[in-house]
Amino acid sequence: MRIVLLGPPGAGKGTQAKGISEYYNIPHISTGDLFRENISQGTKLGREAQAYMDRGELVPDSLVIAFVEDRVSKPDCKNGFLLDGFPRTIPQAEAFWTFCADRDEQLNDAVCLNVPDDLIIKRISGRRSCPKCGAVYNIYTNKPKVEGHCDYDGTALVQRSDDTEETVKTRLSVYEKETEPLIGFYKDKGILKEVDAAGPLEEVQRRIIDALK
Ligand code: AP5
């Protein structure tokens, strides 16, 4: 299965991707997580990406496309992958479509998670994540067992630096302008699945898996 997961910031892409990638036994590849790892390791890519991410803007296509194409060429992607947060612009979608076609590895599905704006703001403002393992929680809806600490490794949870009110506004408007047009792109390709992602985690997971059958 080669799947793309679309949706606005805070729609639940990362949260749902974990369960779906386990269900299909394929790697979960999040461009946001990969950039954050590079930032914490102080790599050249991380330094280039950081300023864009802190402003809520997109990292330039030229950096992202080569990075993802390299990642999906690794042996663990032989049976497929789940992309979370990529593609995010029409040039990224076109380049990746051509890349897959050239390898005779067509994308199977593009799943778009639909969530109303007021719920997005609530989800993002309540999000906390583990800086060590990347696990994502929510102080309202998806609490850790011990307040403020990761269930897996006990690390103190943090709020993402791009989850400020101002940056979230920019990320939402960038999503509308740059990423929403991908819904039409994948509809035209005949692989779009739209899923109502407002609802309990397990219920949304079930809807996604049903849509992928
Ligand atoms: P990225 O990390 O991809 O951020 P995003 O798309 O803004 O998405 P989020 O991670 O904010 O949200 P999510 O949908 O994963 O929601 P989550 O599961 O955490 O990208 C960050 C930045 O990197 C970008 O701004 C850009 O600069 C750069 N970048 C990345 N990819 C790029 C690309 N391709 N091109 C250019 N630049 C790129 O859920 C949110 C919260 O809600 C959590 O607390 C969760 O517990 C809770 N929650 C989730 N689902 C539910 C539910 N059903 N019920 C209740 N609570 C829920």
Side-chain angles (χ1 to χ4, degrees):
M1 291 286 275
R2 286 177 285 275
I3 308 167
V4 163
L5 202 49
L6 298 172
K13 300 182 295 296
T15 302
Q16 295 298 339
K18 195 172 177 309
I20 301 164
S21 65
E22 281 167 10
Y23 185 85
Y24 288 107
N25 196 21
I26 50 176
H28 164 208
I29 300 171
S30 153
T31 39
D33 286 349
L34 290 170
F35 287 136
R36 282 184 285 278
E37 272 165 37
N38 274 271
I39 289 170
S40 67
Q41 291 161 3
T43 67
K44 181 168 176 282
L45 179 70
R47 286 195 298 277
E48 286 172 332
Q50 182 155 32
Y52 296 98
M53 292 175 75
D54 284 348
R55 289 195 297 266
E57 295 168 7
L58 295 181
V59 176
D61 290 338
S62 55
L63 288 179
V64 187
I65 294 168
F67 188 51
V68 174
E69 290 181 352
D70 178 59
R71 177 64 189 87
V72 300
S73 303
K74 302 245 187 288
D76 65 333
C77 294
K78 196 164 64 69
N79 296 322
F81 47 75
L82 173 62
L83 290 175
D84 156 12
F86 177 91
R88 239 171 162 106
T89 63
I90 290 288
Q92 290 180 18
E94 283 172 341
F96 194 65
W97 188 265
T98 306
F99 171 82
C100 291
D102 287 349
R103 294 158 57 98
D104 219 5
E105 291 179 352
Q106 189 74 39
L107 285 178
N108 301 99
D109 298 281
V111 178
C112 182
L113 302 184
N114 293 323
V115 182
D117 278 2
D118 54 340
L119 196 51
I120 285 174
I121 303 290
K122 181 157 190 223
R123 284 186 183 177
I124 290 185
S125 67
R127 172 167 50 195
R128 301 290 182 272
S129 37
C130 173
K132 190 168 174 198
C133 73
V136 177
Y137 302 88
N138 193 287
I139 58 170
Y140 308 115
T141 57
N142 183 19
K143 296 179 185 175
K145 291 185 187 119
V146 176
E147 195 185 327
H149 292 272
C150 180
D151 290 351
Y152 301 100
D153 49 41
T155 305
L157 302 178
V158 295
Q159 193 159 18
R160 260 169 53 177
S161 61
D162 61 346
D163 276 353
T164 62
E165 201 181 321
E166 203 49 43
T167 311
V168 170
K169 271 191 210 149
T170 307
R171 284 161 60 201
L172 283 170
S173 80
V174 168
Y175 175 79
E176 277 168 28
K177 186 162 166 268
E178 303 284 351
T179 311
E180 257 182 8
L182 268 60
I183 295 172
F185 177 89
Y186 287 119
K187 202 178 217 168
D188 290 347
K189 301 288 186 195
I191 63 164
L192 181 74
K193 308 275 162 65
E194 295 206 65
V195 171
D196 174 7
L201 295 173
E202 301 73 20
E203 175 63 24
V204 175
Q205 182 96 127
R206 195 190 53 73
R207 287 179 203 153
I208 297 171
I209 289 171
D210 282 352
L212 288 169
K213 278 182 185 156

